[in-house]
Amino acid sequence: MAQHSDDRVPPASDNAADLDLPWAPRDHQWNGSRAEHDALKWADGDALKLASIYLYRESGGNPATEADYKFPVADIIDGKPTLVFHAVANAAARLDSADISEADRKQVKHLIGELYQQAAEAFDDPSLRPPWDR
């Protein structure tokens, strides 16, 4: 489950990505289908593990399956969940077309912004900003 300090916006769902995961190298290639497959295998039915790589989960579904999750931002690398910049950029690009409420969209947008800020620090590149801040 995401760990958030009191000053952060709460996750868009009751289970959202762990923003404190380590970062893969910036040039790490990311394939959404493969990442989701690897996450399901890694989580092995554990909903909290699966949720730790997604920014959003639709309430009311089966949290142990990927069907209700959106915006994966991590990959399983050497057996561990790891944030991937290309996944974060993909989530930012897909946000406006996602079938989620405006309130959830606002929260996911905030989380993506946090991840861009973390990436800018992790990769020592202050030019990394979400598309809506350029």
Side-chain angles (χ1 to χ4, degrees), residues 18-24 73-75 81-85 88 115 118:
D18 182 348
L19 303 184
D20 296 324
L21 294 173
W23 284 91
V73 292
D75 204 347
T82 307
L83 293 169
V84 177
F85 180 72
V88 174
L115 287 168
Q118 288 180 21

Side-chain angles (χ1 to χ4, degrees), residues 49-97:
K49 286 174 78 174
L50 186 59
S52 72
I53 69 159
Y54 289 88
L55 292 179
Y56 175 85
R57 181 176 65 82
E58 185 74 36
S59 62
N62 180 350
T65 66
E66 81 209 272
D68 294 325
Y69 291 91
K70 295 182 188 328
F71 312 112
V73 292
D75 204 347
I76 307 305
I77 301 172
D78 296 329
K80 298 176 185 166
T82 307
L83 293 169
V84 177
F85 180 72
H86 291 293
V88 174
N90 183 271
R94 293 179 38 235
L95 182 59
D96 285 341
S97 63

Side-chain angles (χ1 to χ4, degrees), residues 1-133:
M1 179 167 295
Q3 299 173 1
H4 298 277
S5 64
D6 292 339
D7 63 336
R8 291 187 184 177
V9 172
S13 66
D14 57 352
N15 292 306
D18 182 348
L19 303 184
D20 296 324
L21 294 173
W23 284 91
R26 184 173 176 180
D27 61 353
H28 178 80
Q29 293 303 307
W30 183 78
N31 175 297
S33 297
R34 192 197 78 240
E36 290 178 2
H37 172 269
D38 291 350
L40 277 173
K41 185 176 176 182
W42 167 78
D44 193 27
D46 183 327
L48 292 177
K49 286 174 78 174
L50 186 59
S52 72
I53 69 159
Y54 289 88
L55 292 179
Y56 175 85
R57 181 176 65 82
E58 185 74 36
S59 62
N62 180 350
T65 66
E66 81 209 272
D68 294 325
Y69 291 91
K70 295 182 188 328
F71 312 112
V73 292
D75 204 347
I76 307 305
I77 301 172
D78 296 329
K80 298 176 185 166
T82 307
L83 293 169
V84 177
F85 180 72
H86 291 293
V88 174
N90 183 271
R94 293 179 38 235
L95 182 59
D96 285 341
S97 63
D99 184 21
I100 61 176
S101 73
E102 284 306 311
D104 288 339
R105 186 179 323 279
K106 181 178 178 181
Q107 290 182 338
V108 170
K109 184 176 183 177
H110 177 80
L111 294 172
I112 291 170
E114 282 191 31
L115 287 168
Y116 265 89
Q117 183 177 356
Q118 288 180 21
E121 293 171 13
F123 303 124
D124 194 27
D125 184 352
S127 72
L128 290 178
R129 294 187 315 242
W132 48 85
D133 286 346

